[in-house]
Amino acid sequence: MIKIGRVVVSLEMREVYQEGRLLQVGSRAFDILELLIRAEGKTVTKDEILQHVWPNSVVEENNIHVQLSALRKIFGAGSQVIRTISGRGYRLTIPTDAAELPHLRGAVAASHASSVRPSGLPVCHTPLIGREAAIADVTCALKGTPIVTLLGSGGIGKTQLAIAVARSIEAASEWEVCFITLASVSGVQSVINKVAEALGVGPAGADVPLQALVDATRERKLLVLLDNCEHVIESAATICELLVQASADLRILATSREPLRTRDEKFYWVAPLETPDVGASRQTILDCSAVRMFLAQMTALNTSVENDLGSIEMVATICRRLDGVPLALELAASRVAVFGIRKLLAELDNRFQFLTGGRRTAPPRQQTLEGALDWSYQLLSATERTVLHRLSVFPARFSVEAACAVAACGRLTRNDVTDAIVGLASKCFLMTTFDSKTKEYFLLETTREYALRKLYESDEADQVLTRKATCHAPAYEQPYGRVFGAPASGAGLAMEAVASR
Ligand SMILES: Nc1ncnc2c1ncn2[C@@H]1O[C@H](COP(=O)(O)OP(=O)(O)OP(=O)(O)O)[C@@H](O)[C@H]1O
Ligand SMILES: [Mg+2]
């Protein structure tokens, strides 16, 4: 991505964004912009533009002015980003802010460069949508807390948010940043080795003692982004705690589907992208971050949705029914590109069969919607699984009493069910509402569909449905409107120190 003033340009995707919002730029205007960017600040003559943009036709010079004026509007009236060089042509003024200079140059060469920076931070070629406040909150939390953990269900955008935060810290400070993904490791020694290797500690390929790792990081001003901790949660927690206790200058930004539960940790629940209410106006729908992301994905796939209200409302329904989860929206957009929007809408009840075929290069847990849930589901205890299946009979919010009335049967006592609810909430399977006096829970639609399938695969569906039908504790039949909450572990969307719990 190339940042020029207030806009960000992707030459590969031929897209222009402003504050995460995809702008409509005509193809000729984009051709001129691309030419100017590739010239790296040198003057591009009118002939060069005419030849590049209208290669097989003879057109008036006036056409260039029309396209340039469209481009100048994007950069802001009166801005001098595109400068006219009298009698010669036009040039892009490289931002005078010194910090931006290498960024622009680097970005111009990005299509040829490696996709990984020295810090190991992956380069993101698509803009992060709807996370401006989250980036600011997490960046701020890292100033005062040694460990910040980004929590959320699979595909909600933890890694992308963490990368954006790390990148902003890397750009604005002298902190060394190191990106480490734990997705493919298991066992405490493998985790230590992986961290040691990324930080350049100890001989490659050998087992590194934890103390050696601690000693080697003691003097470094370091931000470690530890990605995907959930399946090695104990090991990750131990290592993180030791590292930050030994060094006042070390910060850890972890991503996980459940809290590390270390001393001095703050956690941040990554919310789904914002989805439109039923009956929202056209503009409100288009302003929602989930809709913006879905449409941006479709544009990236060279496809689009009709501009009429009916089509926009279909997009709104899709975003709502997919809970505003970026991975689900990404998979859905790639299906729209092939089958169209109506077919996607019709297949939402069948989402696990339909939403497959993610990026070939994505990890298996992100290639299908079902894969995203399987990855977390296999980390649940047997009791948590059973309770999750049973809770899937609630189409909307329910109280703990209702949950116990339905799920505490067979071998499971009310205490077992209550414990399981806490576990399911901390592992991001259950959400809780903020707006009621008594705490209530609900399952996101995709999680509920997944759990219902598991319930029907078991032999207790009839029994659980009967218990639900005769349950008188507070529960609702209508899907929740716009309530979204963090899991029930006491956290909110704001941060809260685990240590204090
Ligand atoms: N705010 C966003 N704007 C645009 N795309 C996003 C956003 N958040 C996430 N995505 C996209 O959604 C997909 C899933 O995001 P990400 O990998 O960050 O999820 P995750 O929560 O880390 O998932 P996992 O638990 O599997 O590690 C990615 O392809 C990413 O590019
Ligand atoms: Mg991730």
Side-chain angles (χ1 to χ4, degrees):
M1 303 297 285
I2 300 162
K3 188 166 183 309
I4 308 167
R6 61 182 194 165
V7 308
V8 174
V9 182
S10 164
L11 292 182
E12 282 125 338
M13 302 294 193
R14 292 180 63 80
E15 285 170 352
V16 181
Y17 291 86
Q18 189 181 25
E19 285 152 16
R21 187 183 296 261
L22 183 63
L23 303 178
Q24 296 297 329
V25 179
S27 90
R28 297 226 155 94
F30 193 94
D31 286 344
I32 297 179
L33 180 59
E34 179 173 9
L35 204 60
L36 292 169
I37 290 173
R38 293 202 185 278
E40 289 190 58
K42 298 198 191 79
T43 301
V44 178
T45 65
K46 290 178 182 167
D47 282 348
E48 281 169 328
I49 294 178
L50 289 171
Q51 217 171 350
H52 179 74
V53 182
W54 293 272
N56 302 314
S57 20
V58 180
V59 295
E60 297 283 319
E61 204 179 293
N62 187 35
N63 283 287
I64 300 182
H65 301 157
V66 171
Q67 303 302 333
L68 279 171
S69 109
L71 284 175
R72 283 179 166 138
K73 273 194 198 130
I74 291 171
F75 290 109
S79 95
Q80 285 294 309
V81 171
I82 300 174
R83 192 164 287 173
T84 304
I85 310 299
S86 186
R88 290 172 55 207
Y90 306 90
R91 73 182 183 86
L92 199 63
T93 49
I94 296 176
T96 47
D97 176 357
E100 299 230 2
L101 210 60
H103 179 67
L104 179 61
R105 294 221 175 103
V108 170
S111 49
H112 310 292
S114 144
S115 66
V116 173
R117 295 170 170 212
S119 59
L121 272 185
V123 173
C124 294
H125 292 282
T126 47
L128 201 63
I129 294 175
R131 297 294 193 209
E132 295 77 10
I135 293 173
D137 285 350
V138 176
T139 305
C140 177
L142 275 166
K143 287 187 185 138
T145 318
I147 304 175
V148 176
T149 307
L150 303 188
L151 297 165
S153 55
I156 199 110
K158 302 179 290 295
T159 300
Q160 294 306 315
L161 175 58
I163 290 171
V165 169
R167 184 166 297 129
S168 83
I169 291 176
E170 187 183 42
S173 68
E174 290 166 1
W175 285 56
E176 192 188 338
V177 172
C178 185
F179 177 80
I180 305 168
T181 175
L182 298 179
S184 59
V185 301
S186 59
V188 65
Q189 190 58 55
S190 309
V191 177
I192 297 170
N193 292 349
K194 184 85 184 178
V195 176
E197 186 192 343
L199 294 176
V201 178
D207 280 353
V208 177
L210 183 52
Q211 194 53 48
L213 181 61
V214 170
D215 292 341
T217 50
R218 217 182 284 278
E219 302 298 325
R220 285 162 75 171
K221 230 173 168 29
L222 192 60
L223 170 66
V224 177
L225 197 172
L226 213 50
D227 196 30
N228 276 111
C229 296
E230 59 274 338
H231 65 297
V232 284
I233 198 90
E234 309 273 333
S235 314
T238 310
I239 295 166
C240 288
E241 196 165 290
L242 280 173
L243 286 177
V244 298
Q245 279 179 359
S247 167
D249 282 337
L250 196 133
R251 295 280 184 277
I252 291 175
L253 178 58
T255 79
S256 177
R257 295 189 186 180
E258 72 171 300
L260 291 178
R261 295 218 166 82
T262 55
R263 214 189 302 269
D264 305 323
E265 175 185 5
K266 277 187 181 173
F267 51 101
Y268 186 91
W269 297 102
V270 181
L273 296 179
E274 192 194 357
T275 58
D277 283 333
V278 176
S281 71
R282 176 196 176 86
Q283 196 51 50
T284 309
I285 293 173
L286 291 174
D287 284 344
C288 278
S289 51
V291 173
R292 286 194 278 132
M293 193 222 143
F294 183 77
L295 295 178
Q297 281 293 315
M298 294 198 36
T299 308
L301 295 162
N302 264 335
T303 186
S304 58
V305 178
E306 299 288 315
N307 208 9
D308 59 289
L309 185 60
S311 303
I312 304 280
E313 282 175 346
M314 279 193 261
V315 171
T317 306
I318 289 166
C319 291
R320 195 164 45 240
R321 293 202 53 199
L322 292 177
D323 310 307
V325 172
L327 177 66
L329 296 174
E330 215 171 71
L331 293 169
S334 73
R335 283 315 195 214
V336 172
V338 182
F339 298 107
I341 195 100
R342 278 174 208 286
K343 175 77 175 155
L344 171 65
L345 202 56
E347 292 291 344
L348 279 182
D349 286 339
N350 197 20
R351 62 188 70 192
F352 295 112
Q353 276 76 42
F354 200 64
L355 296 184
T356 55
R359 271 180 300 112
R360 218 178 283 284
T361 49
R365 66 171 195 285
Q366 293 197 342
Q367 290 198 358
T368 65
L369 192 59
E370 190 165 23
L373 280 135
D374 284 345
W375 171 265
S376 297
Y377 181 80
Q378 41 119 6
L379 298 173
L380 297 180
S381 70
T383 303
E384 286 169 341
R385 286 181 193 188
T386 306
V387 172
L388 175 68
H389 305 168
R390 294 177 183 176
L391 295 182
S392 70
V393 296
F394 291 108
R397 288 175 285 146
F398 55 88
S399 61
V400 176
E401 296 77 57
C404 288
V406 167
C409 58
R411 285 181 307 102
L412 298 187
T413 64
R414 293 176 73 86
N415 276 347
D416 293 333
V417 173
T418 312
D419 283 353
I421 287 177
V422 173
L424 287 169
S426 78
K427 290 171 188 167
C428 306
F429 275 91
L430 272 185
M431 318 309 287
T432 183
T433 55
F434 284 135
D435 54 352
S436 60
K437 288 191 186 114
T438 54
K439 193 168 249 175
E440 288 168 336
Y441 299 86
F442 64 91
L443 295 151
L444 291 179
E445 184 169 330
T446 297
T447 314
R448 177 167 183 256
E449 293 280 328
Y450 181 87
L452 256 184
R453 274 164 35 123
K454 300 275 184 200
L455 178 69
Y456 281 109
E457 280 163 22
S458 74
D459 55 5
E460 56 179 31
D462 288 343
Q463 185 198 352
V464 177
L465 283 165
T466 307
R467 290 177 70 86
K468 159 82 176 26
T470 54
C471 151
H472 298 297
Y476 300 80
E477 295 304 321
Q478 294 303 314
Y480 43 88
R482 285 205 46 180
V483 279
F484 165 75
S489 49
L493 288 175
M495 292 176 229
E496 190 167 297
V498 170
S500 64
R501 292 192 302 123

